């Protein structure tokens, strides 16, 4: 158990230095190059975009970029090793000579910008995704077509710099946009289509929220489908608003499917890319900085690509690193060091590389990241065989729940080097899921409050058949629409359905008794008798043979110091953890938001409890063990054609508060893993060296001398 990770890491590093592992610390040296001609990674599904080494660069062209040197633009993409370029085609501005009445043509353009770029990029072997944005229309046309427009709760349209918001249920998005698509797709040989600002857009670029659309189209459609009056306020306690949320999803999905089918009929080879799961091939997401006081989410790239790879076998992630600092500061770049980490999160999870700029690579005012972009994209190009036809090697599946709980779980899993997949709850059991729940040794359900009856039954069946379930927070207490049912519906948890809510309160703890420590593991809690619990808690009662641990100590006095104490009479019977055996499997229920607590404070006590639940009580399997620093994120992927496997290491050091500086080299990381087949050679791809190793009883062990920004440990089989 790694409850004292930092101390363990320090001791192991000392042992390495003194050759305490029973062998000399291996040294690396320049070795012969791989014979890549004999390496056959195979193909996942024959497509150019799914589980393949894609390197995408998106250029959000401004109107004045129509005056660019197109040869220089194309050469910058060649220099950056791009395989795909995304560029503006139509919608807000047409960068080609459109003949349609309500399609605003770029006034700076002379000739045909789109035609010129598509022809020249294709000549260099670079694919092109055409970018469209139907969320807004030029104010001249908006005045002629008011029934196409979004109407805020103020009764007003939204005009931002001469561009007026349209409504998803209006004629522009429902009909006229298809005329624009038809004109462009039939005229140019695109390889894919991307849509920006899709769905119900209710805020402008300044972040001002204008409310639920009140246009006639929305009012009529909502009433026709539900018999209800369109709400004017977002309130999850209002059943009408919950019904409106369902309405939004079903109508948006309907349009996405309709659009995807329309595109495929025009050209079945076109890939559809946007910020939705419905009707698309590439699911768009963004790793970006915002104008807030929050620190950047280091695991953003990993988070976004794992979610897609763990949920769909027929879709691929398209997680883009947004280069600019924030929307109000589009001409200044964010930290190059967080950008590096975000792109590495894509690459070392086997996902496409994706990068976005306003303008072009040539005309950036802040060019600090461009050499890093060329370096990472160049590395990917040089070794692209190893990014082909991959699958994750994971024993844990994480169901995506409430954001802070989910992020805290990602931090815990990453810092403890537990290999995991992320799964969208709605995809569990679907035909397009990469694998069934039964393929995982353990499933984490982090505060997934909204659950259908089908999902609760699937999770219970998973445990019944031998699975292990770690559940936190309010999981299963609402139906799939968010309607509160106020019952714990997962039968496998070993608690009665009814509970009392203990609301989040200051100076509240969980007491860890000596008896608790015998089950949780004495080492991890040797010097820890109380655990901070600043969270809502479900005061539930164990049922059957389920065992409860930890006891709630609520709202103790914290001032003045003379009064800051509690006595035995203040300790309640409310459990902080319940363990149960259900059928052939096991569960641990933590009826409060453990992940949220760790995301909030990163406390050692919450980490110790998480490890105890997952590894000591549930005894979750692992095929990778390491003394790596928590600042190293690790991934483990294998080629589906059994040609190789590799372990990725991302160095997250260099952050001090809001400052994101260059990572510090981390030395002597021990890695022990169980490969799919016997290994004949290990290579460090970033260092360009071979690595000595031992191989005993199916386990391979080695020491990675250093990790600068990242490393990639490749195993070639015998």
């Amino acid at each position: 158990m790694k409850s004292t990770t930092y101390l363990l890491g320090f001791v192991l590093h000392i042992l390495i230095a003194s050759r305490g592992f029973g062998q000399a610390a291996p040294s690396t040296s320049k070795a012969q190059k791989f014979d890549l001609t004999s390496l056959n990674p195979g193909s996942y599904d024959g497509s150019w975009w799914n589980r393949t080494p894609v390197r995408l660069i998106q250029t959000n062209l401004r109107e004045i970029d129509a005056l660019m040197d197109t040869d220089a633009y194309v050469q910058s993409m060649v220099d950056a090793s791009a395989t795909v370029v995304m560029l503006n085609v139509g919608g807000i501005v047409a960068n080609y000579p459109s003949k349609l009445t309500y399609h605003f043509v770029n006034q700076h353009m002379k000739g045909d910008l789109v035609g010129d770029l598509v022809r020249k990029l294709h000549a260099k072997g670079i694919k092109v995704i055409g970018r469209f944005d139907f969320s807004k229309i030029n104010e001249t046309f908006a005045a002629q077509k008011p029934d196409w427009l979004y109407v805020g709760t103020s009764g007003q349209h939204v005009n931002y710099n001469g561009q007026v918001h349209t409504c998803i249920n209006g004629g522009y998005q429902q009909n006229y946009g298809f005329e624009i698509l038809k004109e462009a797709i039939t005229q140019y040989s695109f390889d894919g289509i991307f849509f920006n600002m899709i769905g119900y857009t209710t805020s402008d670029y300044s972040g001002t929220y204008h409310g639920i659309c009140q246009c006639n189209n929305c009012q009529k459609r909502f009433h026709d489908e539900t018999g209800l009056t369109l709400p004017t306020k977002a309130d999850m306690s209002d059943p009408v608003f919950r019904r409106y949320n369902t309405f939004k999803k079903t109508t948006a999905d309907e349009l996405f499917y309709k659009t995807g089918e329309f595109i495929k009929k025009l050209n079945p080879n076109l890939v559809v890319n946007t910020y939705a799961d419905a009707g698309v091939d590439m699911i768009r997401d963004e790793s970006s900085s915002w104008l807030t006081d929050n620190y950047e989410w280091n695991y953003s790239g990993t988070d976004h690509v794992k979610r897609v790879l763990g949920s769909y076998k027929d879709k691929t992630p398209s997680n883009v690193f947004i280069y600019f600092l924030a929307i109000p500061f589009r001409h200044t770049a964010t930290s190059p060091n967080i950008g590096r980490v975000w792109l590495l999160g894509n690459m070392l999870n086997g996902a496409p590389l994706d990068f976005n700029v306003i303008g072009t690579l040539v005309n950036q005012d802040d060019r600090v990241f461009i050499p890093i972009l060329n370096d990472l994209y160049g590395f990917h190009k040089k070794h692209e065989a190893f990014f082909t036809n991959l699958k994750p090697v994971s024993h844990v599946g994480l169901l995506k729940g409430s954001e802070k709980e989910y992020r805290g779980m990602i931090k815990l899993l990453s810092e403890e080097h537990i290999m995991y997949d992320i799964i969208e709850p709605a995809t569990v059991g679907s035909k397009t899921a990469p694998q069934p729940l039964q393929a995982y040794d353990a499933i984490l359900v982090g505060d997934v409050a909204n659950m259908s009856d089908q999902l609760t039954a699937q999770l219970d069946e998973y445990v019944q058949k031998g699975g292990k379930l770690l559940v936190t927070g309010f999981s299963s207490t609402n139906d799939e629409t968010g309607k509160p049912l106020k019952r714990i519906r997962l039968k496998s948890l070993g608690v009665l359905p009814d509970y009392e809510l203990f609301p989040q309160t200051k100076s509240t703890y969980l007491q860890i008794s000596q008896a608790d420590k015998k089950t949780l593991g004495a080492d991890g809690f040797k010097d820890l008798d109380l655990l901070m619990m600043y969270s809502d808690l479900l005061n539930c009662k164990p049922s059957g043979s389920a065992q409860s641990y930890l006891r709630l100590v609520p709202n103790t006095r914290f001032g003045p110091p003379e009064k800051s104490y509690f006595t035995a009479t203040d300790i309640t019977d409310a459990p902080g953890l319940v363990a149960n055996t259900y059928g052939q499997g096991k569960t641990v229920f933590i009826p409060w938001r453990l992940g949220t607590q760790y995301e909030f404070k990163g406390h050692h006590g919450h980490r110790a409890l998480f490890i105890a639940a997952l590894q000591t009580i549930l005894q979750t399997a692992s095929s990778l063990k390491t003394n790596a620093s928590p600042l190293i994120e690790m991934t483990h992927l294998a080629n589906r054609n059994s040609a190789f496997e590799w372990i990725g290491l991302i160095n997250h050091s260099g952050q001090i508060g809001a400052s994101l500086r260059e990572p510090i080299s981390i030395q002597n990381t021990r890695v022990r893993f169980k490969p799919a087949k016997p290994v004949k050679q290990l290579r460090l791809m970033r260092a360009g060296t071979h690595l000595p190793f031992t191989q005993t009883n199916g386990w391979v062990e080695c020491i990675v001398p250093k990790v600068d920004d990242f490393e990639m440990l490749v195993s070639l089989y015998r």
Side-chain angles (χ1 to χ4, degrees), residues 48-339:
W48 64 263
W49 53 270
N50 197 7
R51 274 63 170 178
T52 62
V54 170
R55 294 180 294 279
L56 195 158
I57 294 179
Q58 174 184 352
T59 54
N60 283 3
L61 301 178
R62 304 160 300 172
E63 290 176 316
I64 60 174
D65 290 320
L67 304 173
M68 76 167 87
D69 179 341
T70 56
D71 290 329
Y73 174 95
V74 172
Q75 187 57 47
S76 71
M77 299 302 163
V78 174
D79 294 342
S81 302
T83 60
V84 185
V85 168
M86 183 186 294
L87 54 89
N88 306 53
V89 175
I92 293 176
V93 174
N95 282 321
Y96 69 96
S98 174
K99 296 180 175 58
L100 295 171
T101 304
Y102 300 107
H103 198 194
F104 185 83
V105 176
N106 190 339
Q107 302 298 292
H108 294 267
M109 182 177 64
K110 299 177 181 178
D112 184 352
L113 180 62
V114 170
D116 193 24
L117 290 176
V118 170
R119 176 175 53 81
K120 290 179 178 179
L121 287 165
H122 278 170
K124 296 293 185 180
I126 298 173
K127 298 184 184 300
V128 179
I129 294 178
R131 179 183 182 276
F132 294 82
D133 190 333
F134 298 135
S135 69
K136 298 164 192 68
I137 190 170
N138 186 273
E139 60 188 355
T140 302
F141 303 144
Q144 301 174 48
K145 294 287 186 179
D147 58 316
W148 286 0
L149 307 178
Y150 162 88
V151 178
T153 50
S154 65
Q156 301 299 311
H157 300 138
V158 178
N159 186 323
Y160 202 97
N161 289 337
Q163 311 309 308
V164 185
H165 288 213
T166 63
C167 176
I168 185 175
N169 293 312
Y172 184 63
Q173 292 198 39
Q174 289 288 332
N175 299 301
Y176 201 77
F178 291 90
E179 294 299 315
I180 295 173
L181 286 173
K182 182 178 180 180
E183 180 185 58
I185 290 172
T186 55
Q187 192 166 331
Y188 304 105
S189 55
F190 299 120
D191 300 282
I193 301 295
F194 165 77
F195 298 100
N196 189 53
M197 298 284 276
I198 59 170
Y200 287 77
T201 305
T202 54
S203 297
D204 60 30
Y205 288 111
S206 294
T208 302
Y209 175 64
H210 296 278
I212 296 168
C213 182
Q214 301 295 312
C215 76
N216 292 334
N217 295 308
C218 281
Q219 292 190 43
K220 182 178 185 305
R221 190 170 184 185
F222 184 68
H223 184 269
D224 288 348
E225 294 194 16
T226 68
L228 301 170
T229 301
L230 193 68
T232 58
K233 182 180 178 182
D235 180 4
M236 281 301 293
S237 66
D238 178 7
V240 177
F241 178 72
R242 291 198 300 270
R243 183 64 185 85
Y244 175 69
N245 269 348
T246 302
F247 166 82
K248 283 200 304 180
K249 176 170 172 47
T250 56
T251 52
D253 285 356
E254 178 186 295
L255 181 57
F256 299 153
Y257 282 121
K258 176 183 173 182
T259 304
E261 290 171 3
F262 180 82
I263 291 169
K264 298 288 186 178
K265 285 181 180 178
L266 291 174
N267 183 347
N269 296 319
L270 288 176
V271 170
V272 180
N273 179 322
T274 194
Y275 302 93
D277 294 15
V280 303
D281 304 301
M282 303 181 82
I283 298 177
R284 195 72 162 171
D285 217 324
E286 296 180 359
S287 290
S288 55
S289 175
W290 295 89
L291 206 61
T292 70
D293 293 332
N294 296 330
Y295 295 156
E296 311 299 354
W297 173 227
N298 294 58
Y299 299 107
S300 175
T302 292
D303 173 357
H304 295 159
V305 302
K306 274 184 177 288
R307 178 189 79 81
V308 178
L309 295 171
S311 302
Y312 302 99
K313 63 183 179 183
D314 61 338
K315 304 179 192 294
T316 200
S318 179
N319 180 60
V320 58
F321 163 37
I322 303 294
Y323 190 40
F324 52 78
L325 182 62
I327 286 178
F329 289 92
R330 294 222 197 225
H331 305 298
T332 302
T334 191
S335 164
N337 298 304
I338 195 64

Side-chain angles (χ1 to χ4, degrees), residues 582-602:
Y582 185 79
Q584 301 177 55
K586 298 179 181 179
T587 63
V588 169
F589 180 37
I590 298 174
W592 47 282
R593 297 184 178 100
L594 171 66
T596 301
Q597 297 286 277
Y598 196 72
E599 195 271 346
F600 177 47
K601 284 297 180 184

Side-chain angles (χ1 to χ4, degrees), residues 517-582:
K517 294 179 184 184
K518 289 181 181 179
T519 298
L520 299 176
D523 291 343
F525 297 91
K526 180 179 65 173
D527 298 317
L528 189 62
D529 299 329
L530 276 184
L531 196 63
M532 168 191 179
M533 209 286 296
Y534 191 43
S535 166
D536 293 332
L537 176 141
L538 306 185
N539 185 355
C540 55
K541 296 186 181 298
S543 63
S545 60
Q547 299 296 309
S548 62
Y549 304 91
L550 312 182
R551 289 295 178 266
L552 179 68
V553 187
N555 195 23
T556 67
R557 295 177 296 187
F558 54 89
E562 293 83 353
K563 297 293 185 179
S564 296
Y565 60 87
F566 63 91
T567 66
T569 59
D570 296 311
I571 303 171
T572 72
D573 290 331
L577 183 150
V578 178
N580 190 42
T581 298
Y582 185 79

Side-chain angles (χ1 to χ4, degrees), residues 438 440 457-468 492 582-586:
Q438 283 71 26
Y440 295 101
Q458 288 171 318
L459 290 170
D460 283 336
E461 181 184 21
Y462 163 76
V463 181
Q464 181 80 40
K465 293 182 177 180
K468 300 166 185 175
S492 57
Y582 185 79
Q584 301 177 55
K586 298 179 181 179

